[in-house]
Amino acid sequence: MDVNITEEEDNQSEDSSFSMNQSRTVDNQDHNIVLLHIPGTTTYQIPPIPNSWPAFVQERLRKIPALVNLPDMSTIQMDTTFRRQDFSVAFGSNPQALDTAWNKTPLAQYILGDKGSRFILGPMPDWNFFCPHSPCASGLIFRPPKCPDAHGCGQKEVDANGGQPIPRTVIIRTSNAKWLYVGEYILQRSQPLDEWDQLDSWQQDCWRSKMNSKMAGYSGRSVDEVLKALDARTAKLEVFTMECIGYETEVQHMIEMLVSGNLPNISKTKSARSRDSQIKP
């Protein structure tokens, strides 16, 4: 079972570090990533849904169960961000993919048949405007009309996973073109977007500019036909809800080691990489 969806591009750049204090915010266009802790403790606190988000988005997000067991910020640096290309080299994944497989264990330590293999989802807030605004927060992602990608919640995937969606490790891109781990999520297909006209004009324009022939082809139309259909409300973006089911401190610790250069040597022979590529999550 593999997935390698590559519609979103990772435009990396070397920018300033991502640093935050008790109440911390990083701006990604109109998307703020906030980290808070409960006063008097080191327990993480999920910030409220941004008031600037449309009412229909806030309504959908409030229906998603909130994570109860929140992480202890004293044990990890939750604000550590990373270059996705470095992550891909270390753990094995497509650095330009929205949804792709990766290995829990660094490639240099990879054990054949490691059941820790998983999937990673990397939405970019510059066109998935309502993905999680902070670690452990609920979110939405949009996909092109009639897009068949299931993101772990398709019937075959659910059946193969004991009746449950297959979780995704979720990372989101920050304003310094690096990435932040926000938690483990399950996605569920929601009602297609009826509220196209409630999106800001710049958000509509963003989807217009990013629509390509592959994305339009899901509905058997050309790019121009899909764009006209969106404006005429005869085509709708697909919507997935994102429910956080946990935050793995082990994952963030590995990211911290990656950023600090303390991961084991990840070089591998061509034959070893080929052998590992045969193992499916």
Side-chain angles (χ1 to χ4, degrees):
M1 185 183 302
D2 200 2
V3 62
N4 199 37
I5 303 164
T6 58
E7 292 172 2
E8 299 202 20
E9 296 181 357
D10 177 15
N11 298 315
Q12 299 283 3
S13 67
E14 296 296 336
D15 266 342
S16 60
S17 61
F18 176 37
S19 61
M20 296 185 280
N21 297 316
Q22 176 180 342
S23 177
R24 320 169 192 176
T25 302
V26 60
D27 181 53
N28 189 334
Q29 295 187 1
D30 284 352
H31 194 93
N32 292 328
I33 301 168
V34 181
L35 276 74
L36 300 172
H37 72 253
I38 297 175
T41 75
T42 57
T43 302
Y44 176 67
Q45 179 179 13
I46 303 174
I49 301 169
N51 289 329
S52 59
W53 287 7
F56 78 89
V57 172
Q58 297 189 47
E59 181 180 355
R60 291 203 194 198
L61 293 180
R62 289 193 185 100
K63 295 178 181 178
I64 302 173
L67 182 66
V68 175
N69 297 319
L70 298 172
D72 184 344
M73 296 178 71
S74 68
T75 64
I76 47 175
Q77 295 293 323
M78 290 181 72
D79 54 3
T80 299
T81 56
F82 58 93
R83 296 184 67 253
R84 194 163 178 189
Q85 182 64 41
D86 295 339
F87 184 97
S88 176
V89 171
F91 297 102
S93 65
N94 186 327
Q96 294 184 333
L98 169 63
D99 195 349
T100 185
W102 72 287
N103 301 313
K104 175 181 177 182
T105 310
L107 291 178
Q109 299 176 338
Y110 191 72
I111 301 173
L112 296 180
D114 179 7
K115 65 181 180 180
S117 296
R118 61 187 73 185
F119 295 93
I120 192 164
L121 184 84
M124 295 194 297
D126 56 355
W127 67 317
N128 264 308
F129 324 106
F130 312 116
C131 63
H133 64 291
S134 64
C136 307
S138 302
L140 304 176
I141 61 167
F142 297 160
R143 300 305 317 279
K146 303 295 184 183
C147 178
D149 301 325
H151 303 298
C153 66
Q155 193 60 54
K156 289 184 178 179
E157 295 165 295
V158 170
D159 290 345
N161 196 43
Q164 298 295 323
I166 298 176
R168 265 49 183 168
T169 294
V170 175
I171 60 175
I172 52 178
R173 196 172 69 170
T174 65
S175 62
N176 59 1
K178 294 184 181 178
W179 295 78
L180 178 73
Y181 169 61
V182 294
E184 306 299 310
Y185 285 74
I186 55 173
L187 277 68
Q188 298 279 10
R189 191 178 289 276
S190 185
Q191 287 294 110
L193 186 69
D194 290 319
E195 300 89 353
W196 172 259
D197 59 340
Q198 295 182 40
L199 296 177
D200 288 340
S201 58
W202 72 266
Q203 293 171 331
Q204 294 178 2
D205 289 343
C206 185
W207 269 91
R208 291 188 184 100
S209 67
K210 291 182 181 294
M211 187 66 64
N212 57 37
S213 58
K214 176 183 176 182
M215 297 163 69
Y218 294 137
S219 54
R221 304 178 183 184
S222 69
V223 172
D224 286 342
E225 288 172 337
V226 168
L227 296 180
K228 290 178 181 178
L230 285 172
D231 288 333
R233 313 299 186 267
T234 57
K236 301 176 182 179
L237 295 179
E238 303 294 334
V239 181
F240 288 81
T241 60
M242 302 176 66
E243 176 188 350
C244 185
I245 58 172
Y247 185 98
E248 295 191 12
T249 56
E250 174 191 71
V251 172
Q252 188 64 11
H253 279 311
M254 289 192 296
I255 290 170
E256 292 170 17
M257 287 191 292
L258 172 68
V259 172
S260 64
N262 291 326
L263 274 182
N265 187 343
I266 59 174
S267 62
K268 273 198 142 186
T269 64
K270 182 177 181 180
S271 60
R273 289 185 181 275
S274 176
R275 177 193 62 195
D276 289 348
S277 69
Q278 303 305 312
I279 302 168
K280 301 297 183 183

